[in-house]
Amino acid sequence: MRSISSSRIERPCLQDKGSNQVYIPSRRLVPHLKHRTKLTRMQSTNTSQVATKTVTRFSRSDAESVHKSLETLTQAILKDPVTQYLSPADEVSSDDLKHHIKQQLDEAKAANLLFHVDNFAAAAWCYKVPEELPLKEVNQEPAAMSDSRVKDKFTELTKTLSEQLVDFLMAHGTCIKISFIGTQPEKQGQGLGGQLVRAINKVADAEQQWVYLEASTERGTHLYLRNGFQIVKEAKMQPDAPTIYCMGRPPKPDVPSDV
């Protein structure tokens, strides 16, 4: 397999930590997202038809909530286009994926930025980098997987995305990273992911932290763009592989957190 290549998207400002300047939205990448208008209209319509649910924040010490959210995230990630590309023959088992996700949470020793909405129909796991996940741990390999070929692909992808994250930290210092966010397949299109993102943004604004994530679907990328994120870089494994958009959101001043 050829090495993953990543390219920097030209933007007028990616300033050092403490700068008053923020991202200037990049419009150059938007045409690469197919059916942009149709997708945006469809999501807006669905969201407006669904009553707002209460977003609940829980602790990593809440074993039952961790287990339920893990089940939701695993269902979502197994359907992710990157997972499907890395393992087209369904070589990634749900147990392998659960192990990998749980390892990420365990590495974040003080992580408490865990959320769910609508009785775990959607969930998100976040942590502060590098306070809760030191830079020396960012480049760790993913958890052991039963298929060595799939593990090698995941390892290379993890390394590339870690490099993008380190670049982001060099520019902005500590940030809140949305490590995993997902919705149960049958609950998608109801605005639950958007509610989670807005809850996380409120926490980040209250703490004056940037938010960072990687998006791999058109639906998710549009969701994040509508909620204040900017595309920083893109990573692509091969010409036929899905593009992964590395995205960041600057904090808004003087916004209290009620989550």
Side-chain angles (χ1 to χ4, degrees), residues 120-186:
F120 298 95
W125 286 5
C126 320
Y127 52 82
K128 291 181 183 177
V129 184
E131 289 183 359
E132 293 171 1
L133 187 64
L135 286 176
K136 65 183 178 61
E137 296 182 12
V138 166
N139 290 312
Q140 287 187 346
E141 291 187 355
M145 293 183 173
S146 56
D147 190 300
S148 60
R149 295 168 300 171
V150 176
K151 179 184 177 181
D152 289 343
K153 294 178 182 178
F154 267 95
T155 297
E156 189 167 0
L157 177 62
T158 300
K159 180 180 178 181
T160 297
L161 295 181
S162 295
E163 291 172 353
Q164 310 298 352
L165 174 58
V166 170
D167 286 348
F168 188 85
L169 293 172
M170 293 294 290
H172 301 293
T174 304
C175 71
I176 291 176
K177 183 179 187 297
I178 301 179
S179 188
F180 299 102
I181 183 169
T183 303
Q184 295 173 358
E186 67 274 14

Side-chain angles (χ1 to χ4, degrees), residues 46-253:
N46 288 343
T47 301
S48 65
Q49 294 174 349
V50 178
T52 300
K53 306 289 185 178
T54 300
V55 175
T56 301
R57 182 173 173 178
F58 62 95
S59 169
R60 58 177 287 135
S61 62
D62 183 347
E64 182 178 1
S65 292
V66 169
H67 174 74
K68 289 181 178 179
S69 62
L70 180 60
E71 292 291 335
T72 295
L73 292 171
T74 301
Q75 289 182 46
I77 296 173
L78 282 172
K79 299 296 183 182
D80 185 88
V82 173
T83 304
Q84 295 293 316
Y85 180 82
L86 292 174
S87 179
D90 294 326
E91 296 163 330
V92 178
S93 72
S94 59
D95 287 341
D96 282 342
L97 200 57
K98 287 178 186 176
H99 188 185
H100 176 56
I101 298 171
K102 187 64 164 56
Q103 181 191 47
Q104 295 291 312
L105 180 65
D106 288 341
E107 288 172 354
K109 305 302 182 183
N112 267 319
L113 296 172
L114 312 175
F115 303 85
H116 77 85
V117 63
D118 194 17
N119 194 28
F120 298 95
W125 286 5
C126 320
Y127 52 82
K128 291 181 183 177
V129 184
E131 289 183 359
E132 293 171 1
L133 187 64
L135 286 176
K136 65 183 178 61
E137 296 182 12
V138 166
N139 290 312
Q140 287 187 346
E141 291 187 355
M145 293 183 173
S146 56
D147 190 300
S148 60
R149 295 168 300 171
V150 176
K151 179 184 177 181
D152 289 343
K153 294 178 182 178
F154 267 95
T155 297
E156 189 167 0
L157 177 62
T158 300
K159 180 180 178 181
T160 297
L161 295 181
S162 295
E163 291 172 353
Q164 310 298 352
L165 174 58
V166 170
D167 286 348
F168 188 85
L169 293 172
M170 293 294 290
H172 301 293
T174 304
C175 71
I176 291 176
K177 183 179 187 297
I178 301 179
S179 188
F180 299 102
I181 183 169
T183 303
Q184 295 173 358
E186 67 274 14
K187 294 285 187 176
Q188 291 181 357
Q190 298 184 16
L192 300 178
Q195 290 176 231
L196 284 174
V197 171
R198 288 186 288 275
I200 295 166
N201 286 348
K202 283 186 178 181
V203 173
D205 290 341
E207 299 182 7
Q208 288 298 282
Q209 296 280 344
W210 283 73
V211 185
Y212 178 88
L213 57 82
E214 293 118 9
S216 56
T217 66
E218 293 181 0
R219 180 185 292 273
T221 303
H222 288 304
L223 168 65
Y224 304 132
L225 287 171
R226 292 200 305 273
N227 282 279
F229 286 82
Q230 312 291 334
I231 296 170
V232 182
K233 299 177 184 177
E234 60 174 316
K236 196 174 180 70
M237 298 180 67
Q238 293 187 17
D240 61 337
T243 300
I244 299 175
Y245 298 102
C246 302
M247 307 180 75
R249 175 191 179 273
K252 294 182 179 179

Side-chain angles (χ1 to χ4, degrees), residues 21-52:
Q21 291 181 290
V22 297
Y23 283 128
I24 293 177
S26 172
R27 302 295 181 186
R28 295 178 57 197
L29 194 58
V30 173
H32 291 274
L33 304 176
K34 300 177 182 179
H35 316 303
R36 177 172 179 262
T37 303
K38 180 179 179 181
L39 254 175
T40 303
R41 184 183 301 115
M42 177 187 70
Q43 286 189 310
S44 299
T45 301
N46 288 343
T47 301
S48 65
Q49 294 174 349
V50 178
T52 300

